[in-house]
Amino acid sequence: MSLQSGMYDFNLSEEQEKRAQRLHEQNINIDLLFQGPLSPRAIPAAVSEAIKELSEPYKEEPMIYSAMPAKWVTKLSASGGIPQYKEEWYMSGITAGNRELHLNDMESVITSMGEVQLQFDSADWLVKALTAEDIRRAKREGRVAGIVTAQETDALGTNLELLEVLHHFGLRILQLTYNKQNLIGSGCAEQANGGLSNFGVRFVERMNKLGIIVDTGHCGKQTTLDACKVSRTPVIASHTGAEAIYHHMRCKSDEEIIAIADTGGVIGIFAMPWFVHEDPDHTTIDHVLDHMEYVIRLVGVDHVGIGTDWPMSDLDWSLVYFKEHIAPKLGFAKGDGPSTETVAGLEKYSYFINFTRGLVARGYTDDEIAKIMGGNWLRVFEQICG
């Protein structure tokens, strides 16, 4: 990435800029809620309009219509129709990022498995990371790695055997709840805050047995605390913030952060303008780093990572549609994102080096930066997945 492009002003010296560049190039950088590599600003306008036209036949079905742009981006990128897909990933310096399955219902399971596998089959530079060594090997070979994850569990019902099938496919990280109540426990938007159900306890135990990482990103407080008590392996929050910095349902309390850290887990900080700062139009990467630093002061540098969750591999027109028609169905309050606002300094994934630059500016050592940028995620991944 050019030092003249997308550079947030951290007032770094020339020596510090060179150090940040060196660290970003040599480190294993992991984004565990990687909606990219594309963002609205990286997708050509002509491609955006073409995808809008292709999606129009589905407009009478809001959930399907909202999902179509991401599907078309995947298909067009696989056929070489959007070269920016590979370019942005490599310019970002991200060694590994998640590739997401959708487990809303059985149709979405089958469809998303096909779409995720298409990404791996169509790009010899993208490898499916089943173990930590797969990520290290990708770095050595100049390739990038995709970690298969999911944020919902509804399609599984009470059939724990389906977890094994998904693990065979490559699923390595699974979130217990998404905002609302499900059979496993209460999400962060659930008023009851009921915690893990009896089935949820068995679900976590089966995840432990299979080697699937327990993710509490969208879980309610008691569900998070219960998961930390039940799990025999480290628990994570792939994408969240510190409630003490900005009080939002998607952020974690001190008690939750400490509980996750006590399992040996990691808290991933997101770059969602509506969830890290009160003014989404004036949210900067410094606000994101403030959340990171709070977690570090609370539980130490070994327990923080990155899970940006934004900008999305989507288009401006579909993001507005999502905010108006889909987000309320998912438990988000009206007007509470996501939409087209972005964090200043992270408008595109090719600006990901600004994390490293920001950590340099804040005085972190080389070893500390390596942990925050991906080493902590890699440690947990290796411990649970091999």
Side-chain angles (χ1 to χ4, degrees):
M1 171 179 170
S2 168
L3 290 178
Q4 305 302 315
S5 173
M7 288 295 98
Y8 183 82
D9 186 9
F10 289 112
N11 196 30
L12 297 181
S13 67
E14 183 177 351
E15 182 179 352
Q16 288 175 313
E17 291 286 10
K18 289 180 179 178
R19 177 179 167 227
Q21 188 76 30
R22 172 179 58 81
L23 290 174
H24 201 69
E25 290 175 357
Q26 74 182 30
N27 284 337
I28 288 178
N29 304 309
I30 299 176
D31 183 350
L32 215 54
L33 212 298
F34 181 45
Q35 298 277 19
L38 294 176
S39 65
R41 298 196 185 186
I43 299 174
V47 173
S48 177
E49 286 303 310
I51 290 175
K52 186 174 184 179
E53 184 175 339
L54 290 167
S55 303
E56 281 301 299
Y58 304 92
K59 199 164 185 179
E60 297 304 314
E61 301 179 75
M63 295 298 289
I64 296 175
Y65 179 68
S66 178
M68 289 310 298
K71 294 178 185 293
W72 280 112
V73 166
T74 297
K75 291 178 181 178
L76 292 172
S77 299
S79 64
I82 310 180
Q84 292 84 358
Y85 189 89
K86 179 180 179 181
E87 293 168 4
E88 279 287 308
W89 195 321
Y90 272 84
M91 288 172 68
S92 74
I94 294 172
T95 313
N98 69 304
R99 303 288 81 190
E100 191 168 305
L101 293 177
H102 297 289
L103 310 183
N104 300 298
D105 51 41
M106 196 50 62
E107 182 178 344
S108 67
V109 173
I110 296 170
T111 301
S112 66
M113 287 176 74
E115 290 169 349
V116 167
Q117 191 58 43
L118 176 62
Q119 294 179 51
F120 294 111
D121 291 344
S122 62
D124 58 7
W125 48 269
L126 175 63
V127 300
K128 185 186 288 187
L130 304 180
T131 67
E133 177 56 24
D134 290 334
I135 297 174
R136 293 192 180 97
R137 186 183 304 113
K139 178 71 173 180
R140 291 195 301 269
E141 295 176 352
R143 298 198 286 174
V144 295
I147 303 168
V148 180
T149 69
Q151 293 197 65
E152 318 91 0
T153 61
D154 292 350
L156 305 181
T158 57
N159 187 348
L160 291 174
E161 300 309 311
L162 286 178
L163 268 179
E164 186 167 355
V165 174
L166 290 169
H167 181 264
H168 284 319
F169 175 78
L171 180 69
R172 292 298 180 266
I173 300 172
L174 179 58
Q175 186 172 260
L176 300 179
T177 68
Y178 189 95
N179 288 359
K180 298 181 179 181
Q181 182 74 38
N182 65 13
L183 294 174
I184 294 169
S186 300
C188 61
E190 182 61 44
Q191 182 176 332
N193 189 31
L196 281 182
S197 65
N198 291 338
F199 171 70
V201 171
R202 297 199 304 275
F203 195 93
V204 170
E205 290 171 345
R206 181 62 68 90
M207 289 177 68
N208 287 170
K209 183 177 180 180
L210 290 171
I212 299 174
I213 298 170
V214 176
D215 183 5
T216 62
H218 280 255
C219 290
K221 180 177 181 178
Q222 194 58 51
T223 301
T224 300
L225 296 176
D226 289 352
C228 291
K229 289 178 183 177
V230 171
S231 181
R232 293 178 289 101
T233 62
V235 172
I236 69 168
S238 60
H239 57 305
T240 189
E243 183 181 83
I245 297 293
Y246 184 60
H247 198 282
H248 190 281
M249 72 173 190
R250 284 288 290 108
C251 292
K252 296 294 186 189
S253 64
D254 286 5
E255 186 178 4
E256 292 168 275
I257 292 169
I258 292 169
I260 291 169
D262 283 347
T263 71
V266 177
I267 296 90
I269 303 302
F270 46 29
M272 302 284 279
W274 322 269
F275 302 165
V276 299
H277 182 58
E278 62 185 10
D279 184 356
D281 289 314
H282 297 91
T283 304
T284 74
I285 190 171
D286 270 316
H287 294 119
V288 178
L289 291 168
D290 287 345
H291 283 256
M292 283 185 163
E293 288 212 286
Y294 182 86
V295 173
I296 291 169
R297 288 194 298 270
L298 185 64
V299 294
V301 76
D302 292 328
H303 302 288
V304 70
I306 299 169
T308 57
D309 204 15
W310 209 260
M312 293 181 74
S313 187
D314 219 319
L315 311 162
D316 281 336
W317 59 267
S318 63
L319 293 176
V320 172
Y321 183 88
F322 181 91
K323 180 172 184 174
E324 294 176 351
H325 299 277
I326 307 301
K329 300 176 191 274
L330 301 178
F332 292 106
K334 186 176 181 180
D336 189 18
S339 191
T340 57
E341 301 90 351
T342 53
V343 169
L346 291 172
E347 295 89 347
K348 298 200 295 184
Y349 285 100
S350 51
Y351 299 170
F352 201 75
I353 192 175
N354 285 334
F355 276 114
T356 299
R357 295 178 67 244
L359 293 170
V360 167
R362 294 188 181 214
Y364 288 93
T365 67
D366 288 9
D367 287 344
E368 290 170 336
I369 292 172
K371 289 180 178 181
I372 296 166
M373 292 301 298
N376 290 333
W377 288 133
L378 192 65
R379 168 181 56 78
V380 171
F381 198 77
E382 184 162 44
Q383 183 174 341
I384 299 175
C385 306

